Amino acid sequence: MDKLIINGGHRLRGSVRVNGAKNAALPMMAAALLLNRGHRLVLRHVPDLGDVRTMCTLLDTLGVRSARDRHTLTLSVEDDRAVRAPYEIVKTMRASICTLGPLVGRRGEAHVSHPGGCAIGVRPVDLHVRGIAALGARITVDHGYIVARAPARRLRGGTVYLGGAFGSTVTGTANVMMAAVLARGTTVIEYAALEPEVQELALLLNAMGARIEGIGSYRMTIHGVDRLHGIDWTVMPDRIEAGTFMTCAAITQGDVVVENVRAEHMTAVLETLSQMGCDLDVGALAVRVKGPRRLKPIDLNTLPFPGFPTDLQAQFMACASLADGISVVTEKIYPERFAHLPELSRMGAQARKYESAAIVSGVRELHGAPVMASDLRAGAGLVVAALAAHGYTEVQRIYHLDRGYDHIERRLNAVGAKIRRVADKVAAAPARETGTG
Ligand code: EPU
Protein backbone atom coordinates (compact mmCIF):
# COMPACT_ATOMS: atom_id res chain seq x y z
CA MET A 1 0.00 0.00 0.00
CA ASP A 2 1.23 3.52 -0.81
CA LYS A 3 1.24 6.71 1.21
CA LEU A 4 1.88 10.33 0.26
CA ILE A 5 4.54 12.41 1.94
CA ILE A 6 3.72 16.07 1.51
CA ASN A 7 6.11 18.88 2.33
CA GLY A 8 3.71 21.77 2.88
CA GLY A 9 3.98 25.51 2.65
CA HIS A 10 4.65 25.93 -1.08
CA ARG A 11 2.55 28.26 -3.19
CA LEU A 12 0.98 26.55 -6.18
CA ARG A 13 1.38 28.30 -9.53
CA GLY A 14 0.64 27.25 -13.11
CA SER A 15 -2.05 25.28 -14.91
CA VAL A 16 -3.65 21.98 -14.13
CA ARG A 17 -6.08 20.11 -16.34
CA VAL A 18 -9.21 18.41 -15.03
CA ASN A 19 -10.01 14.86 -16.16
CA GLY A 20 -13.31 13.34 -17.17
CA ALA A 21 -15.78 12.92 -14.30
CA LYS A 22 -15.68 9.68 -12.33
CA ASN A 23 -19.30 9.99 -11.24
CA ALA A 24 -20.43 10.58 -14.82
CA ALA A 25 -18.26 7.81 -16.30
CA LEU A 26 -19.36 5.04 -13.90
CA PRO A 27 -23.13 5.07 -14.68
CA MET A 28 -22.35 5.65 -18.36
CA MET A 29 -20.25 2.49 -18.34
CA ALA A 30 -23.18 0.63 -16.75
CA ALA A 31 -25.34 1.91 -19.62
CA ALA A 32 -23.44 -0.51 -21.92
CA LEU A 33 -25.56 -3.24 -20.28
CA LEU A 34 -28.56 -1.80 -22.14
CA LEU A 35 -27.09 -2.76 -25.51
CA ASN A 36 -27.73 -5.92 -27.46
CA ARG A 37 -24.96 -8.44 -28.05
CA GLY A 38 -22.44 -7.27 -30.67
CA HIS A 39 -22.93 -3.54 -29.91
CA ARG A 40 -20.28 -1.16 -28.56
CA LEU A 41 -20.21 1.96 -26.42
CA VAL A 42 -17.12 4.16 -26.83
CA LEU A 43 -16.43 6.61 -23.98
CA ARG A 44 -13.70 9.26 -24.29
CA HIS A 45 -12.00 11.23 -21.49
CA VAL A 46 -12.51 8.37 -19.06
CA PRO A 47 -10.15 8.89 -16.10
CA ASP A 48 -7.71 6.11 -15.20
CA LEU A 49 -8.98 5.39 -11.70
CA GLY A 50 -9.43 2.51 -9.29
CA ASP A 51 -13.23 2.82 -9.49
CA VAL A 52 -13.22 2.76 -13.30
CA ARG A 53 -11.09 -0.40 -13.28
CA THR A 54 -13.48 -1.94 -10.74
CA MET A 55 -16.45 -1.14 -13.00
CA CYS A 56 -14.58 -2.78 -15.94
CA THR A 57 -14.10 -5.92 -13.82
CA LEU A 58 -17.78 -5.92 -12.86
CA LEU A 59 -18.92 -5.42 -16.46
CA ASP A 60 -16.63 -8.25 -17.52
CA THR A 61 -18.49 -10.63 -15.20
CA LEU A 62 -21.68 -9.38 -16.91
CA GLY A 63 -20.46 -10.16 -20.44
CA VAL A 64 -19.20 -6.67 -21.40
CA ARG A 65 -15.52 -6.55 -22.43
CA SER A 66 -13.56 -3.32 -22.04
CA ALA A 67 -10.52 -2.11 -23.99
CA ARG A 68 -8.68 1.05 -22.94
CA ASP A 69 -6.54 3.18 -25.24
CA ARG A 70 -5.26 6.05 -23.07
CA HIS A 71 -8.46 7.83 -22.03
CA THR A 72 -10.78 6.07 -24.46
CA LEU A 73 -12.73 3.09 -23.22
CA THR A 74 -14.49 0.77 -25.64
CA LEU A 75 -17.16 -1.44 -24.08
CA SER A 76 -18.36 -4.35 -26.22
CA VAL A 77 -21.29 -6.57 -25.31
CA GLU A 78 -20.27 -10.18 -25.95
CA ASP A 79 -22.82 -11.96 -23.81
CA ASP A 80 -26.13 -10.48 -22.70
CA ARG A 81 -27.36 -13.25 -20.41
CA ALA A 82 -25.37 -12.74 -17.17
CA VAL A 83 -27.34 -10.91 -14.45
CA ARG A 84 -25.30 -11.26 -11.25
CA ALA A 85 -23.19 -8.42 -9.75
CA PRO A 86 -21.19 -10.32 -7.12
CA TYR A 87 -20.57 -9.27 -3.52
CA GLU A 88 -16.77 -9.51 -3.95
CA ILE A 89 -16.86 -6.59 -6.43
CA VAL A 90 -19.82 -4.57 -5.13
CA LYS A 91 -18.31 -4.43 -1.62
CA THR A 92 -15.33 -2.48 -3.00
CA MET A 93 -17.40 0.10 -4.91
CA ARG A 94 -20.90 1.33 -4.14
CA ALA A 95 -21.42 2.67 -7.67
CA SER A 96 -21.82 -1.02 -8.67
CA ILE A 97 -25.49 -0.50 -7.74
CA CYS A 98 -25.79 1.34 -11.09
CA THR A 99 -25.95 -2.06 -12.80
CA LEU A 100 -29.33 -2.85 -11.18
CA GLY A 101 -31.49 -0.69 -13.47
CA PRO A 102 -29.90 -1.58 -16.82
CA LEU A 103 -29.73 -5.29 -15.99
CA VAL A 104 -33.42 -5.64 -15.12
CA GLY A 105 -34.39 -3.18 -17.89
CA ARG A 106 -32.57 -5.00 -20.69
CA ARG A 107 -32.06 -8.57 -19.43
CA GLY A 108 -35.27 -8.88 -17.43
CA GLU A 109 -33.53 -9.88 -14.21
CA ALA A 110 -30.82 -8.60 -11.86
CA HIS A 111 -29.06 -10.04 -8.82
CA VAL A 112 -26.98 -7.23 -7.35
CA SER A 113 -25.24 -7.57 -4.01
CA HIS A 114 -26.65 -5.05 -1.51
CA PRO A 115 -23.89 -2.43 -1.09
CA GLY A 116 -24.50 -1.95 2.65
CA GLY A 117 -23.13 1.04 4.57
CA CYS A 118 -19.73 2.66 4.17
CA ALA A 119 -17.30 5.12 5.74
CA ILE A 120 -19.51 8.15 5.08
CA GLY A 121 -22.75 6.77 6.54
CA VAL A 122 -25.58 4.27 6.30
CA ARG A 123 -26.43 4.99 2.64
CA PRO A 124 -29.62 3.01 2.01
CA VAL A 125 -30.77 2.03 -1.51
CA ASP A 126 -34.50 2.00 -0.72
CA LEU A 127 -35.26 4.68 -3.32
CA HIS A 128 -33.52 2.68 -6.07
CA VAL A 129 -35.55 -0.36 -5.13
CA ARG A 130 -38.82 1.56 -4.81
CA GLY A 131 -38.26 3.16 -8.22
CA ILE A 132 -37.59 -0.12 -10.00
CA ALA A 133 -40.53 -1.77 -8.26
CA ALA A 134 -42.77 1.03 -9.58
CA LEU A 135 -41.84 -0.17 -13.10
CA GLY A 136 -43.34 -3.55 -12.33
CA ALA A 137 -40.27 -5.45 -11.13
CA ARG A 138 -40.74 -7.98 -8.35
CA ILE A 139 -38.03 -7.33 -5.77
CA THR A 140 -36.73 -9.69 -3.11
CA VAL A 141 -33.60 -9.76 -0.98
CA ASP A 142 -31.88 -13.11 -1.13
CA HIS A 143 -28.74 -13.83 0.94
CA GLY A 144 -27.55 -10.23 0.72
CA TYR A 145 -28.52 -9.79 -2.93
CA ILE A 146 -31.21 -7.48 -4.30
CA VAL A 147 -33.07 -9.62 -6.81
CA ALA A 148 -35.27 -7.81 -9.34
CA ARG A 149 -37.40 -9.66 -11.89
CA ALA A 150 -39.47 -8.05 -14.63
CA PRO A 151 -42.74 -9.84 -15.47
CA ALA A 152 -42.37 -11.55 -18.86
CA ARG A 153 -38.80 -10.10 -18.85
CA ARG A 154 -39.89 -6.54 -19.67
CA LEU A 155 -40.62 -3.63 -17.34
CA ARG A 156 -43.56 -1.32 -17.92
CA GLY A 157 -43.69 2.45 -17.54
CA GLY A 158 -44.92 3.92 -14.26
CA THR A 159 -44.77 6.95 -12.03
CA VAL A 160 -41.79 6.99 -9.71
CA TYR A 161 -41.25 9.40 -6.82
CA LEU A 162 -37.61 9.66 -5.76
CA GLY A 163 -37.85 12.08 -2.84
CA GLY A 164 -36.12 10.90 0.33
CA ALA A 165 -35.15 12.41 3.67
CA PHE A 166 -32.14 14.16 2.09
CA GLY A 167 -33.64 15.16 -1.27
CA SER A 168 -33.43 13.00 -4.36
CA THR A 169 -30.85 10.34 -5.18
CA VAL A 170 -28.14 10.66 -7.83
CA THR A 171 -27.40 7.03 -8.67
CA GLY A 172 -31.03 6.14 -7.87
CA THR A 173 -32.21 8.50 -10.62
CA ALA A 174 -29.59 7.01 -12.96
CA ASN A 175 -30.81 3.50 -12.13
CA VAL A 176 -34.51 4.22 -12.68
CA MET A 177 -33.76 6.12 -15.88
CA MET A 178 -31.74 3.21 -17.25
CA ALA A 179 -34.44 0.74 -16.20
CA ALA A 180 -37.15 2.83 -17.90
CA VAL A 181 -35.59 3.50 -21.31
CA LEU A 182 -36.43 0.01 -22.58
CA ALA A 183 -39.70 -0.41 -20.64
CA ARG A 184 -43.04 -0.76 -22.37
CA GLY A 185 -44.83 2.61 -22.17
CA THR A 186 -44.02 5.89 -20.46
CA THR A 187 -42.33 6.52 -17.11
CA VAL A 188 -42.47 9.74 -15.14
CA ILE A 189 -39.78 10.34 -12.53
CA GLU A 190 -40.89 12.91 -9.97
CA TYR A 191 -38.12 14.51 -7.94
CA ALA A 192 -35.30 13.42 -10.22
CA ALA A 193 -31.78 14.41 -9.12
CA LEU A 194 -30.56 17.51 -10.97
CA GLU A 195 -26.82 16.78 -10.74
CA PRO A 196 -24.95 17.43 -14.02
CA GLU A 197 -23.78 13.78 -14.08
CA VAL A 198 -27.45 12.67 -14.18
CA GLN A 199 -28.21 15.13 -16.97
CA GLU A 200 -25.21 13.89 -18.96
CA LEU A 201 -26.32 10.29 -18.57
CA ALA A 202 -29.76 11.24 -19.94
CA LEU A 203 -28.12 12.97 -22.91
CA LEU A 204 -25.98 9.89 -23.55
CA LEU A 205 -29.03 7.61 -23.39
CA ASN A 206 -30.90 9.85 -25.85
CA ALA A 207 -27.92 9.73 -28.20
CA MET A 208 -28.17 5.91 -27.92
CA GLY A 209 -31.81 6.08 -29.07
CA ALA A 210 -33.72 6.63 -25.80
CA ARG A 211 -36.54 9.18 -25.54
CA ILE A 212 -36.06 11.15 -22.33
CA GLU A 213 -37.69 14.55 -21.81
CA GLY A 214 -37.30 17.07 -19.00
CA ILE A 215 -33.54 16.61 -18.63
CA GLY A 216 -32.25 18.87 -15.85
CA SER A 217 -35.67 19.27 -14.22
CA TYR A 218 -37.33 17.57 -11.26
CA ARG A 219 -39.78 15.78 -13.58
CA MET A 220 -38.37 13.52 -16.27
CA THR A 221 -40.57 11.71 -18.76
CA ILE A 222 -39.18 8.61 -20.43
CA HIS A 223 -40.92 7.02 -23.40
CA GLY A 224 -39.74 3.42 -23.62
CA VAL A 225 -38.15 2.21 -26.88
CA ASP A 226 -37.44 -1.33 -28.12
CA ARG A 227 -33.68 -1.11 -28.40
CA LEU A 228 -30.68 1.22 -28.07
CA HIS A 229 -27.60 1.45 -30.27
CA GLY A 230 -23.91 2.04 -29.55
CA ILE A 231 -22.41 5.54 -29.64
CA ASP A 232 -19.16 7.48 -29.25
CA TRP A 233 -19.33 9.95 -26.31
CA THR A 234 -16.99 12.30 -24.47
CA VAL A 235 -17.36 12.34 -20.68
CA MET A 236 -17.87 15.77 -19.05
CA PRO A 237 -15.13 17.33 -16.87
CA ASP A 238 -15.04 16.32 -13.20
CA ARG A 239 -16.46 19.23 -11.19
CA ILE A 240 -15.27 17.69 -7.91
CA GLU A 241 -11.71 17.29 -9.14
CA ALA A 242 -11.87 20.88 -10.43
CA GLY A 243 -13.10 22.11 -7.03
CA THR A 244 -10.36 20.14 -5.27
CA PHE A 245 -7.66 21.81 -7.37
CA MET A 246 -9.26 25.19 -6.67
CA THR A 247 -9.03 24.64 -2.91
CA CYS A 248 -5.36 23.67 -3.35
CA ALA A 249 -4.78 27.09 -4.93
CA ALA A 250 -6.91 28.87 -2.33
CA ILE A 251 -5.18 27.40 0.72
CA THR A 252 -1.59 27.96 -0.53
CA GLN A 253 -2.04 31.62 -1.55
CA GLY A 254 -1.53 30.12 -5.01
CA ASP A 255 -2.31 31.31 -8.50
CA VAL A 256 -3.58 28.38 -10.55
CA VAL A 257 -5.50 28.10 -13.80
CA VAL A 258 -7.79 25.08 -13.57
CA GLU A 259 -8.48 23.98 -17.14
CA ASN A 260 -11.32 21.93 -18.59
CA VAL A 261 -13.97 23.30 -16.25
CA ARG A 262 -17.66 23.83 -16.93
CA ALA A 263 -18.29 26.83 -14.70
CA GLU A 264 -22.06 26.41 -14.99
CA HIS A 265 -21.65 23.19 -12.95
CA MET A 266 -19.77 25.05 -10.21
CA THR A 267 -21.71 28.19 -9.31
CA ALA A 268 -22.01 27.34 -5.60
CA VAL A 269 -18.34 26.37 -5.38
CA LEU A 270 -17.11 29.51 -7.14
CA GLU A 271 -19.37 31.66 -4.98
CA THR A 272 -17.94 30.06 -1.83
CA LEU A 273 -14.35 30.57 -2.98
CA SER A 274 -15.18 34.19 -3.68
CA GLN A 275 -16.73 34.61 -0.21
CA MET A 276 -13.52 33.19 1.25
CA GLY A 277 -11.57 35.98 -0.40
CA CYS A 278 -10.23 34.24 -3.51
CA ASP A 279 -9.76 36.24 -6.66
CA LEU A 280 -11.46 34.36 -9.53
CA ASP A 281 -11.24 34.79 -13.26
CA VAL A 282 -13.96 32.62 -14.81
CA GLY A 283 -13.49 31.84 -18.50
CA ALA A 284 -15.35 29.68 -20.97
CA LEU A 285 -13.40 26.51 -20.17
CA ALA A 286 -11.03 27.49 -17.37
CA VAL A 287 -11.04 29.22 -13.99
CA ARG A 288 -8.06 31.08 -12.56
CA VAL A 289 -7.99 31.02 -8.75
CA LYS A 290 -5.74 33.28 -6.69
CA GLY A 291 -5.70 32.56 -2.97
CA PRO A 292 -5.72 35.52 -0.54
CA ARG A 293 -3.08 36.09 2.19
CA ARG A 294 -5.63 34.76 4.67
CA LEU A 295 -8.91 33.05 3.84
CA LYS A 296 -12.18 34.35 5.30
CA PRO A 297 -14.47 32.04 7.29
CA ILE A 298 -17.60 30.54 5.73
CA ASP A 299 -21.07 29.33 6.63
CA LEU A 300 -21.46 26.36 4.35
CA ASN A 301 -24.32 23.90 3.78
CA THR A 302 -23.89 20.92 1.51
CA LEU A 303 -27.00 20.44 -0.60
CA PRO A 304 -28.18 18.62 -3.72
CA PHE A 305 -27.22 20.35 -7.01
CA PRO A 306 -27.21 23.29 -7.69
CA GLY A 307 -26.26 23.59 -4.00
CA PHE A 308 -22.77 23.11 -2.66
CA PRO A 309 -21.58 19.49 -3.26
CA THR A 310 -20.93 17.19 -0.31
CA ASP A 311 -17.98 15.76 -2.24
CA LEU A 312 -16.11 19.06 -1.66
CA GLN A 313 -17.02 19.49 2.02
CA ALA A 314 -13.76 18.03 3.39
CA GLN A 315 -11.58 20.11 1.05
CA PHE A 316 -13.37 23.32 2.08
CA MET A 317 -13.19 22.34 5.73
CA ALA A 318 -9.41 22.14 5.31
CA CYS A 319 -9.51 25.71 3.97
CA ALA A 320 -11.79 26.85 6.81
CA SER A 321 -9.34 25.46 9.35
CA LEU A 322 -6.87 28.20 8.33
CA ALA A 323 -9.45 30.99 7.88
CA ASP A 324 -9.52 34.18 9.89
CA GLY A 325 -12.50 33.40 12.16
CA ILE A 326 -15.16 30.80 12.89
CA SER A 327 -16.75 28.76 10.11
CA VAL A 328 -19.81 26.54 10.27
CA VAL A 329 -19.90 23.58 7.87
CA THR A 330 -23.24 21.75 7.84
CA GLU A 331 -23.60 18.42 6.08
CA LYS A 332 -27.11 18.06 4.67
CA ILE A 333 -26.50 14.99 2.51
CA TYR A 334 -24.45 12.66 4.73
CA PRO A 335 -24.80 13.82 8.37
CA GLU A 336 -21.94 11.52 9.45
CA ARG A 337 -19.42 12.55 6.79
CA PHE A 338 -16.83 14.06 9.15
CA ALA A 339 -14.13 11.37 9.43
CA HIS A 340 -11.55 13.92 8.25
CA LEU A 341 -12.24 16.16 11.25
CA PRO A 342 -10.19 14.23 13.86
CA GLU A 343 -7.39 13.84 11.33
CA LEU A 344 -7.37 17.59 10.63
CA SER A 345 -7.26 18.10 14.40
CA ARG A 346 -4.04 16.05 14.45
CA MET A 347 -2.60 18.72 12.17
CA GLY A 348 -3.62 21.49 14.57
CA ALA A 349 -7.10 22.38 13.28
CA GLN A 350 -9.58 23.55 15.90
CA ALA A 351 -12.83 21.88 14.96
CA ARG A 352 -15.63 20.12 16.73
CA LYS A 353 -18.64 18.29 15.44
CA TYR A 354 -22.07 19.28 16.67
CA GLU A 355 -24.84 17.05 15.28
CA SER A 356 -24.54 17.29 11.47
CA ALA A 357 -22.33 20.39 11.55
CA ALA A 358 -18.72 21.19 12.28
CA ILE A 359 -17.70 24.40 14.01
CA VAL A 360 -14.23 25.32 12.81
CA SER A 361 -12.18 28.05 14.53
CA GLY A 362 -9.52 29.07 12.05
CA VAL A 363 -5.91 28.82 13.25
CA ARG A 364 -2.88 30.67 11.89
CA GLU A 365 -0.90 27.53 11.21
CA LEU A 366 -1.36 23.82 10.58
CA HIS A 367 1.54 21.45 11.11
CA GLY A 368 2.44 18.26 9.31
CA ALA A 369 1.50 14.95 10.98
CA PRO A 370 0.83 11.33 10.04
CA VAL A 371 -2.86 11.12 9.08
CA MET A 372 -5.15 8.55 7.57
CA ALA A 373 -7.59 8.86 4.67
CA SER A 374 -10.82 7.14 5.70
CA ASP A 375 -12.52 7.66 2.34
CA LEU A 376 -11.92 9.33 -0.99
CA ARG A 377 -12.95 12.92 -0.25
CA ALA A 378 -11.72 12.86 3.36
CA GLY A 379 -8.34 11.92 1.86
CA ALA A 380 -8.56 14.83 -0.57
CA GLY A 381 -9.30 17.18 2.35
CA LEU A 382 -6.16 15.96 4.12
CA VAL A 383 -4.04 16.56 1.01
CA VAL A 384 -5.40 20.11 0.74
CA ALA A 385 -4.57 20.79 4.40
CA ALA A 386 -1.12 19.23 4.04
CA LEU A 387 -0.24 21.53 1.14
CA ALA A 388 -0.49 24.51 3.52
CA ALA A 389 0.83 22.85 6.69
CA HIS A 390 4.32 23.46 8.03
CA GLY A 391 6.59 20.46 7.63
CA TYR A 392 5.82 16.97 6.46
CA THR A 393 2.43 15.26 6.42
CA GLU A 394 2.14 11.55 5.72
CA VAL A 395 -1.25 10.66 4.27
CA GLN A 396 -1.84 6.94 4.71
CA ARG A 397 -4.39 4.67 2.99
CA ILE A 398 -4.27 6.65 -0.23
CA TYR A 399 -5.86 3.78 -2.13
CA HIS A 400 -9.01 5.73 -1.28
CA LEU A 401 -7.63 8.76 -3.16
CA ASP A 402 -6.57 6.64 -6.11
CA ARG A 403 -10.17 5.52 -6.52
CA GLY A 404 -11.15 9.05 -7.52
CA TYR A 405 -8.06 11.09 -8.49
CA ASP A 406 -5.68 10.03 -11.25
CA HIS A 407 -2.10 10.51 -9.91
CA ILE A 408 -2.99 13.53 -7.82
CA GLU A 409 0.63 13.93 -6.67
CA ARG A 410 2.01 14.24 -10.24
CA ARG A 411 -0.55 16.81 -11.19
CA LEU A 412 -0.08 18.90 -8.03
CA ASN A 413 3.72 18.63 -8.28
CA ALA A 414 3.47 20.10 -11.79
CA VAL A 415 2.13 23.30 -10.20
CA GLY A 416 4.70 23.48 -7.41
CA ALA A 417 3.58 21.03 -4.72
CA LYS A 418 6.17 18.80 -3.05
CA ILE A 419 4.57 15.38 -2.80
CA ARG A 420 6.20 11.95 -2.89
CA ARG A 421 4.41 8.62 -3.19
CA VAL A 422 6.14 5.89 -1.23
CA ALA A 423 5.27 2.33 -0.27
CA ASP A 424 3.82 2.14 3.23
CA LYS A 425 5.29 -1.05 4.70
CA VAL A 426 3.60 -0.72 8.10
CA ALA A 427 -0.03 0.06 7.30
CA ALA A 428 -2.26 -2.83 6.31
CA ALA A 429 -5.55 -2.59 4.44
CA PRO A 430 -8.63 -3.48 6.46
CA ALA A 431 -9.93 -6.93 5.63
CA ARG A 432 -13.29 -5.76 4.34
CA GLU A 433 -14.42 -2.29 3.38
CA THR A 434 -17.20 -0.84 1.27
CA GLY A 435 -15.94 1.77 -1.19
CA THR A 436 -17.59 5.15 -0.73
CA GLY A 437 -17.92 6.53 -4.28
N1 EPU B 1 -30.51 7.99 0.03
C1 EPU B 1 -31.57 7.31 0.61
N2 EPU B 1 -32.10 6.25 -0.06
C2 EPU B 1 -31.62 5.85 -1.28
C3 EPU B 1 -30.57 6.56 -1.87
C4 EPU B 1 -30.02 7.63 -1.18
O1 EPU B 1 -32.00 7.64 1.71
O2 EPU B 1 -32.17 4.88 -1.84
C5 EPU B 1 -29.91 9.12 0.75
C6 EPU B 1 -28.43 8.94 1.01
O3 EPU B 1 -28.17 8.20 2.18
C7 EPU B 1 -27.96 10.38 1.08
C8 EPU B 1 -28.82 11.06 0.05
O4 EPU B 1 -29.97 10.24 -0.10
O5 EPU B 1 -28.24 10.90 2.34
C9 EPU B 1 -28.19 11.30 -1.29
O6 EPU B 1 -27.57 10.11 -1.76
P1 EPU B 1 -27.41 9.75 -3.29
O7 EPU B 1 -28.19 8.52 -3.59
O8 EPU B 1 -27.71 10.96 -4.11
O9 EPU B 1 -25.87 9.40 -3.39
P2 EPU B 1 -25.24 8.33 -4.36
O10 EPU B 1 -25.96 8.33 -5.63
O11 EPU B 1 -25.10 7.03 -3.64
C10 EPU B 1 -23.54 9.93 -5.51
C11 EPU B 1 -22.05 10.00 -5.69
C12 EPU B 1 -21.40 10.34 -4.36
C13 EPU B 1 -21.96 11.67 -3.88
C14 EPU B 1 -23.49 11.61 -3.79
C15 EPU B 1 -24.15 12.92 -3.41
C16 EPU B 1 -21.64 8.47 -7.51
C17 EPU B 1 -21.06 7.19 -7.97
N3 EPU B 1 -21.56 8.72 -6.20
O12 EPU B 1 -23.78 8.90 -4.54
O13 EPU B 1 -20.00 10.48 -4.62
O14 EPU B 1 -21.43 11.98 -2.62
O15 EPU B 1 -24.03 11.20 -5.07
O16 EPU B 1 -23.85 13.90 -4.34
O17 EPU B 1 -22.13 9.25 -8.31
C18 EPU B 1 -17.70 10.42 -4.16
O18 EPU B 1 -17.48 10.58 -5.37
O19 EPU B 1 -16.79 10.50 -3.29
C19 EPU B 1 -19.05 10.12 -3.70
C20 EPU B 1 -19.31 9.59 -2.50
Side-chain angles (χ1 to χ4, degrees):
M1 225 180 6
D2 291 348
K3 64 184 173 187
L4 294 180
I5 299 184
I6 303 174
N7 180 9
H10 299 275
R11 276 190 183 171
L12 302 193
R13 283 173 194 282
S15 301
V16 57
R17 196 172 171 75
V18 172
N19 285 332
K22 164 181 93 76
N23 288 348
L26 294 172
M28 285 180 177
M29 291 170 69
L33 294 166
L34 292 165
L35 294 171
N36 291 353
R37 195 150 61 88
H39 286 249
R40 293 190 328 179
L41 175 62
V42 178
L43 297 174
R44 298 179 190 273
H45 284 195
V46 177
D48 188 11
L49 301 173
D51 274 7
V52 169
R53 289 188 287 275
T54 303
M55 185 59 94
C56 288
T57 308
L58 177 55
L59 291 177
D60 195 62
T61 68
L62 294 167
V64 178
R65 307 287 166 249
S66 52
R68 181 183 266 279
D69 177 13
R70 293 172 58 82
H71 285 102
T72 301
L73 195 61
T74 302
L75 300 166
S76 314
V77 181
E78 289 186 1
D79 175 7
D80 57 7
R81 287 163 305 175
V83 294
R84 188 177 169 85
Y87 170 72
E88 289 65 32
I89 301 177
V90 177
K91 75 175 186 192
T92 66
M93 185 183 71
R94 289 188 59 85
S96 310
I97 191 71
C98 289
T99 56
L100 180 67
L103 279 177
V104 67
R106 165 64 186 78
R107 302 185 183 182
E109 194 171 326
H111 299 237
V112 178
S113 175
H114 194 300
C118 70
I120 65 176
V122 180
R123 299 186 78 184
V125 289
D126 56 312
L127 298 171
H128 301 237
V129 168
R130 195 209 285 168
I132 286 166
L135 303 183
R138 205 167 62 80
I139 313 258
T140 51
V141 176
D142 182 19
H143 294 93
Y145 280 72
I146 300 166
V147 179
R149 288 191 176 87
R153 309 200 76 76
R154 190 159 182 199
L155 296 172
R156 51 158 169 74
T159 297
V160 175
Y161 174 65
L162 287 183
F166 299 95
S168 188
T169 162
V170 175
T171 50
T173 306
N175 247 335
V176 175
M177 221 165 37
M178 289 193 277
V181 287
L182 293 175
R184 195 171 283 125
T186 297
T187 296
V188 176
I189 304 181
E190 296 282 9
Y191 213 158
L194 305 182
E195 270 66 9
E197 295 77 9
V198 174
Q199 298 184 35
E200 286 272 319
L201 176 66
L203 292 171
L204 169 94
L205 293 170
N206 276 355
M208 292 167 75
R211 289 179 56 213
I212 305 176
E213 295 162 4
I215 297 172
S217 74
Y218 285 118
R219 175 182 290 170
M220 294 174 99
T221 304
I222 303 164
H223 305 285
V225 297
D226 287 336
R227 67 188 63 82
L228 300 182
H229 52 79
I231 181 114
D232 190 319
W233 190 266
T234 300
V235 177
M236 61 184 269
D238 194 320
R239 63 194 169 101
I240 305 303
E241 186 177 83
T244 304
F245 288 142
M246 290 175 191
T247 53
C248 295
I251 204 169
T252 60
Q253 299 174 20
D255 180 358
V256 175
V257 178
V258 183
E259 294 173 351
N260 194 31
V261 174
R262 294 208 356 217
E264 72 270 24
H265 294 165
M266 303 198 62
T267 311
V269 175
L270 297 176
E271 175 61 29
T272 308
L273 285 166
S274 173
Q275 283 172 16
M276 294 185 88
C278 293
D279 184 8
L280 304 179
D281 184 0
V282 181
L285 284 172
V287 176
R288 181 175 182 173
V289 181
K290 289 190 208 164
R293 286 187 71 79
R294 184 119 194 241
L295 290 161
K296 294 184 194 151
I298 35 162
D299 185 351
L300 188 70
N301 286 293
T302 66
L303 289 167
F305 187 83
F308 187 93
T310 173
D311 292 341
L312 284 171
Q313 182 253 103
Q315 300 86 319
F316 274 76
M317 194 189 292
C319 291
S321 68
L322 280 172
D324 186 12
I326 296 177
S327 296
V328 181
V329 178
T330 309
E331 183 47 75
K332 298 226 166 151
I333 309 287
Y334 299 116
E336 300 304 321
R337 193 178 204 177
F338 288 107
H340 41 286
L341 194 149
E343 300 299 298
L344 288 173
S345 300
R346 305 193 68 250
M347 301 174 72
Q350 296 283 324
R352 66 163 53 216
K353 182 174 171 309
Y354 180 72
E355 297 187 344
S356 60
I359 319 288
V360 186
S361 304
V363 293
R364 286 208 160 266
E365 200 174 292
L366 294 175
H367 44 80
V371 288
M372 198 154 62
S374 55
D375 67 81
L376 166 56
R377 308 302 174 186
L382 296 175
V383 170
V384 173
L387 290 173
H390 283 261
Y392 288 88
T393 299
E394 274 187 30
V395 185
Q396 297 168 8
R397 295 207 179 161
I398 58 156
Y399 57 89
H400 287 298
L401 266 175
D402 294 339
R403 293 184 38 225
Y405 296 90
D406 182 4
H407 290 104
I408 196 166
E409 74 282 10
R410 279 191 211 159
R411 298 158 75 209
L412 290 174
N413 285 345
V415 289
K418 305 277 179 246
I419 309 180
R420 275 189 308 129
R421 179 185 285 260
V422 296
D424 189 352
K425 298 196 182 70
V426 182
R432 179 188 165 280
E433 195 163 28
T434 304
T436 47

